[in-house]
Amino acid sequence: MHERVTVACVQAEPVIFDRDATVEKLAGLAAEVARQGARLAVFPEAFVPAYPSSSWAKALAGWDDDGAKDAFALLAREAVEIPGEAERRLGEIALEHELWLVTGVTERDPAKPGTLYNTLLYHAPDGRLALRHRKLVPTNHERLVWGPGDGGGLEAIETPLGRLGGLICWENYMPLARFALYESGVEIYVASTADDGEAWQATLVHIARESRAFVIAPSHFQRAASYPDDFPLRALLDGLDVLGRGGSAILAPDGSYLAGPAYDDEAILYAELDPAVLDGARQRFDPAGHYHRPDVLRLERLG
């Protein structure tokens, strides 16, 4: 990092199972953060078209449940294809507002459409897709929804804001995945998630202190009442209220909070990242530099 930069961590509810409407809601939020001077906007895990809450995704384990099959088919139809119109629209939004835009999506490969992926897309201010990362290992009920990622995008990329990269939710518990980012010099670490538990905040503090990077961690916010009435597993949501309460936050390299955590509603968190803070934090500890022993321990990249 060479200069101060304002960033935005967006905790917003998608227009559930409506990909195009969700992307247009994102466009409005991107316009808002750009008006506030942000140059980076980060959206939660699987924001488009919605994170598959365990409250209903557990039904996908049913061997012959037509409602579960219909729910998965709906998610597949509303997924983001790359290349595809929704992905191109995200690029247009980044270009229009001169933003670095990081968006969690359910991805579908049009060449091999049978498997879905939990993916982070990084669009540059010129509209190009600068980085795509698929979650390496879906967690718990997510394995009924998404296939495993291929390791692509497991790096930080050089941007005018600083070196930008990240992991998705419980990937952040994978030490070697984190270290892959450290080796590539991550300075702004994206940790998008659907984990709204209190313990996740301790994880974020640890990541910030270990990476000696700024951490931007948007978390999903979702209400049962926002699901469409014709959702095939709607009955599983009866009597439920908030399915994902958030917990979004922005942290400094010493683990202190610059903004958040925000719970129980939509919110946009802002912070100004100061490169002097980043540099100062690395005097005592640099995980891939002076506090690393590659002669003893080394990460071997297989792909």
Side-chain angles (χ1 to χ4, degrees), residues 207-262:
I207 290 169
R209 290 176 60 84
E210 181 181 73
S211 68
R212 288 306 202 257
F214 293 103
V215 175
I216 305 175
S219 185
H220 93 121
F221 175 72
Q222 204 179 104
R223 296 167 294 185
S226 298
Y227 276 74
D229 291 338
D230 60 355
F231 175 54
L233 298 174
R234 192 71 177 79
L236 294 177
L237 304 180
D238 289 350
L240 301 180
D241 184 12
V242 176
L243 305 181
R245 68 190 185 112
S248 300
I250 305 174
L251 291 87
D254 64 356
S256 62
Y257 283 87
L258 298 176

Side-chain angles (χ1 to χ4, degrees), residues 1 40 120 122 131 153-159 161-167 172 175-191 207-216 252-253 273 278-279 281-282 285-289:
M1 293 182 69
L40 167 66
L120 273 183
Y122 296 70
L131 188 68
L154 196 61
E155 62 178 331
I157 56 172
E158 188 70 54
T159 81
L161 314 182
R163 296 193 66 82
L164 175 65
L167 298 172
N172 288 286
L176 297 183
R178 295 198 308 273
F179 192 72
L181 294 184
Y182 303 163
E183 280 200 317
S184 59
V186 66
E187 296 172 315
I188 303 174
Y189 187 126
V190 173
I207 290 169
R209 290 176 60 84
E210 181 181 73
S211 68
R212 288 306 202 257
F214 293 103
V215 175
I216 305 175
L273 311 187
L278 183 76
D279 292 339
R282 293 183 171 182
F285 185 82
D286 179 2

Side-chain angles (χ1 to χ4, degrees), residues 191-216:
S192 64
T193 191
D195 189 334
D196 62 0
E198 296 292 339
W200 180 251
Q201 298 302 318
T203 296
L204 295 179
V205 171
H206 173 80
I207 290 169
R209 290 176 60 84
E210 181 181 73
S211 68
R212 288 306 202 257
F214 293 103
V215 175
I216 305 175

Side-chain angles (χ1 to χ4, degrees), residues 26-230:
L26 181 151
L29 293 166
E32 170 63 21
V33 303
R35 283 193 294 270
Q36 298 301 318
R39 296 173 61 194
L40 167 66
V42 184
F43 286 79
E45 176 180 12
F47 180 67
V48 186
Y51 178 79
S53 169
S54 60
S55 61
W56 61 264
K58 61 188 178 185
L60 300 183
W63 185 252
D64 197 29
D65 185 330
D66 288 339
K69 293 176 183 178
D70 290 343
F72 183 83
L74 174 60
L75 181 61
R77 288 196 303 271
E78 295 299 317
V80 175
E81 293 191 342
I82 302 171
E85 185 55 40
E87 184 273 317
R88 286 191 288 270
R89 178 67 181 123
L90 291 171
E92 291 172 356
I93 294 165
L95 175 63
E96 179 181 357
H97 300 294
E98 299 181 327
L99 278 173
W100 278 92
L101 180 63
V102 183
T103 312
V105 306
T106 289
E107 178 199 350
R108 187 179 195 181
D109 182 348
K112 297 180 180 179
T115 298
L116 306 179
Y117 300 96
N118 181 341
T119 302
L120 273 183
L121 302 179
Y122 296 70
H123 285 89
D126 61 6
R128 65 188 165 86
L129 180 59
L131 188 68
R132 171 176 58 179
H133 172 62
R134 291 172 174 171
K135 189 174 186 178
L136 293 171
V137 182
T139 303
N140 198 36
H141 67 283
E142 295 175 357
R143 300 187 192 194
L144 303 169
V145 179
W146 295 307
D150 55 13
L154 196 61
E155 62 178 331
I157 56 172
E158 188 70 54
T159 81
L161 314 182
R163 296 193 66 82
L164 175 65
L167 298 172
I168 304 168
C169 203
W170 278 28
E171 278 189 315
N172 288 286
Y173 290 132
M174 300 173 70
L176 297 183
R178 295 198 308 273
F179 192 72
L181 294 184
Y182 303 163
E183 280 200 317
S184 59
V186 66
E187 296 172 315
I188 303 174
Y189 187 126
V190 173
S192 64
T193 191
D195 189 334
D196 62 0
E198 296 292 339
W200 180 251
Q201 298 302 318
T203 296
L204 295 179
V205 171
H206 173 80
I207 290 169
R209 290 176 60 84
E210 181 181 73
S211 68
R212 288 306 202 257
F214 293 103
V215 175
I216 305 175
S219 185
H220 93 121
F221 175 72
Q222 204 179 104
R223 296 167 294 185
S226 298
Y227 276 74
D229 291 338
D230 60 355

